[in-house]
Amino acid sequence: MVITDVRKNRLNKYQKKVEKKIAGFHSRKYVRICEQGSSRRLYALAVMGGYRRGQRRQHMQTALLKIEGAFTKDDAAFYIGKRCAFVYRGKAKSRIIGKKVPFRAIWGKVTRAHGNSGCVRAKFAVNLPPQAIGKRVRIMLYPSRI
Amino acid sequence: MAIRGSRNHELGRGVVALSRTAMQRKRSAWRHRAKAAKKPEKKERAPCKLKSEPRFYRCDDVKRPLRSRKKNIKPTRLRPSITPGTVLILIAGRRFKGKRVVFLKQLDSGLLLVTGPYAVNGVPLRRVNQVYVIATSLKVDVSAADCSEINDSFFARASAPKKEDSERFFATEQVKSQISDEKKETQKKIDGSLIKAIGGVSHLKGYLRSRFTLKRGQYPHEMKF
């Protein structure tokens, strides 16, 4: 709601406080705090749809990924060649770059499009476990071609 | 089968009995053919060089050494979207993921030389592979920054003095790698000329300070950088 200058004069003390707070949200200090906290995602979101398969048997070497926001083969073409990772939790903490974290990753690569509707095939260093079906897979933005 | 309005007739299946020349003769159009279009002039071609065939062909298999890569080293092909002054987004790397940096030049090794500038976003003079970089369409004027003296040797690690094994085993202090004053000076020199150019463009400093990130509803394949 835009409060014009004329109306501002008629604002009571409480309303003026709120106005000041809103103005404060746009200040440099607040913007920096916002940036520090939240989103730091540099990967596209995808879901593992299953393995490459015919009707009656499946080939677990190749996983099918459904990429969020990609609905055509052209959309999917952007992601071909990009590295992808299935991140999961383990009970024991493992070392990743100097830190011990409970997270582990299986790295892979998007190999080609799958069908005409934005799905994609990916091959991983180790076959993805069946628990991964329906779970989040991260598709990185590198190797970049832009 | 007669063709209506013509003295020609069809033999069937689109094949016609009399050829074009024969038809012209019938119409005595051949008398007027000389007035037709002139033939294009023949261009003088350079005389063909005779390829001399060798007089001796080897019948044995001769082992030849593989081609030496040292002779023909070309720098990695730089993507056309990356030119000096382009603002790049670093998309990998532990510390500088998402940072927006300015591209200075391509080094001999093929890596890209980038700088934050350091005073703006904390990214020093750094090498990065172009595969881990997204080039934006934003360009900064880097003509003032002289980075001709910086090569890959600038980034070579200073070799630490070798210690005996026993010394190293008992050493309690961890030797931290220190950045030489020379490097700091070079950084300041280059950044100084860049910061003026950056200050001239509105919002550019704030833009370089911020990090790139993907949010809900934002899809990289739909984005124009």
Side-chain angles (χ1 to χ4, degrees):
Chain A
M1 193 171 75
V2 174
I3 300 175
T4 58
D5 284 326
V6 177
R7 271 198 67 191
K8 263 189 191 162
N9 292 330
R10 293 199 227 131
L11 290 175
N12 63 29
K13 212 161 92 175
Y14 173 72
Q15 285 171 322
K16 278 188 185 163
K17 255 194 190 170
V18 170
E19 270 278 298
K20 211 178 172 186
K21 212 177 183 183
I22 295 169
F25 287 167
H26 297 292
S27 74
R28 259 176 92 215
K29 185 175 152 200
Y30 195 76
V31 168
R32 223 182 297 156
I33 293 167
C34 265
E35 273 171 13
Q36 277 172 18
S38 48
S39 172
R40 214 40 99 62
R41 183 162 62 88
L42 283 166
Y43 50 87
L45 301 169
V47 167
M48 192 214 168
Y51 302 104
R52 184 174 70 95
R53 58 178 302 162
Q55 188 179 44
R56 299 186 196 286
R57 69 173 186 152
Q58 63 187 12
H59 307 275
M60 294 180 73
Q61 298 95 321
T62 311
L64 304 177
L65 306 180
K66 168 112 192 66
I67 304 173
E68 216 172 274
F71 302 112
T72 64
K73 218 168 167 180
D74 294 326
D75 295 342
F78 172 87
Y79 298 99
I80 294 174
K82 302 282 185 281
R83 293 190 68 194
C84 48
F86 169 62
V87 180
Y88 60 105
R89 275 180 163 264
K91 202 164 174 210
K93 289 195 178 178
S94 55
R95 186 173 285 273
I96 291 179
I97 315 175
K99 280 194 279 183
K100 280 216 166 208
V101 287
F103 298 104
R104 299 174 196 172
I106 302 178
W107 284 91
K109 198 193 284 190
V110 173
T111 54
R112 51 178 283 189
H114 179 77
N116 296 321
S117 305
C119 283
V120 119
R121 295 188 200 179
K123 288 195 110 174
F124 288 80
V126 178
N127 291 352
L128 283 190
Q131 291 90 306
I133 295 176
K135 296 285 188 306
R136 172 71 66 224
V137 171
R138 305 181 184 186
I139 301 184
M140 305 297 159
L141 298 176
Y142 52 86
S144 155
R145 282 177 275 135
I146 306 169
Chain B
M1 208 173 92
I3 301 170
R4 196 185 162 85
S6 169
R7 286 196 263 170
N8 217 337
H9 64 274
E10 201 182 300
L11 296 173
R13 292 190 191 170
V15 179
V16 181
L18 296 173
S19 68
R20 185 172 289 164
T21 333
M23 278 307 296
Q24 278 178 350
R25 246 183 244 125
K26 269 210 170 185
R27 294 179 359 239
S28 67
W30 59 272
R31 282 184 205 147
H32 307 288
R33 244 204 299 171
K35 294 175 191 170
K38 288 178 195 171
K39 281 186 190 168
E41 279 178 22
K42 245 190 179 177
K43 285 182 194 167
E44 264 195 47
R45 280 190 220 157
C48 289
K49 285 182 191 169
L50 280 175
K51 265 189 197 170
S52 55
E53 296 290 345
R55 280 204 275 144
F56 175 67
Y57 287 99
R58 271 190 190 278
C59 54
D60 314 315
D61 281 327
V62 180
K63 276 193 178 174
R64 287 203 183 126
L66 295 167
R67 266 184 166 182
S68 169
R69 279 188 179 182
K70 289 178 191 170
K71 286 184 190 171
N72 191 28
I73 297 174
K74 289 184 201 165
T76 318
R77 182 185 159 265
L78 196 58
R79 261 183 262 147
S81 54
I82 302 175
T83 57
T86 310
V87 172
L88 308 174
I89 302 172
L90 303 178
I91 42 177
R94 196 162 56 98
R95 283 165 71 195
F96 303 123
K97 240 192 313 233
K99 288 275 192 188
R100 294 171 166 114
V101 296
V102 178
F103 169 64
L104 295 172
K105 71 170 189 180
Q106 185 181 30
L107 300 168
D108 293 332
S109 61
L111 299 173
L112 312 181
L113 175 67
V114 297
T115 182
Y118 184 72
V120 174
N121 56 16
V123 181
L125 282 164
R126 203 158 202 272
R127 293 187 295 181
V128 78
N129 193 318
Q130 61 176 314
V131 127
Y132 298 109
V133 133
I134 290 178
T136 63
S137 53
L138 188 61
K139 311 271 182 218
V140 174
D141 182 21
V142 293
S143 48
D146 177 31
C147 48
S148 52
E149 284 174 1
I150 303 178
N151 283 315
D152 289 294
S153 50
F154 180 82
F155 298 98
R157 275 193 206 169
S159 53
K162 278 193 178 176
K163 287 184 189 170
E164 278 182 30
D165 279 329
S166 54
E167 265 189 50
R168 250 189 284 161
F169 187 75
F170 290 113
T172 45
E173 286 176 25
Q174 272 204 334
V175 179
K176 280 189 182 176
S177 58
Q178 289 206 321
I179 304 159
S180 65
D181 290 328
E182 195 195 313
K183 280 193 180 176
K184 286 183 188 173
E185 270 182 50
T186 323
Q187 179 81 56
K188 272 188 198 167
K189 192 184 85 176
I190 291 179
D191 286 356
S193 36
L194 277 180
I195 282 168
K196 280 183 205 162
I198 289 166
V201 183
S202 59
H203 304 299
L204 184 53
K205 195 174 173 193
Y207 177 71
L208 289 175
R209 295 184 76 204
S210 60
R211 282 202 200 228
F212 172 78
T213 180
L214 287 171
K215 289 192 174 158
R216 200 163 147 240
Q218 291 181 338
Y219 307 118
H221 66 268
E222 283 177 358
M223 288 175 149
K224 189 168 186 216
F225 288 96

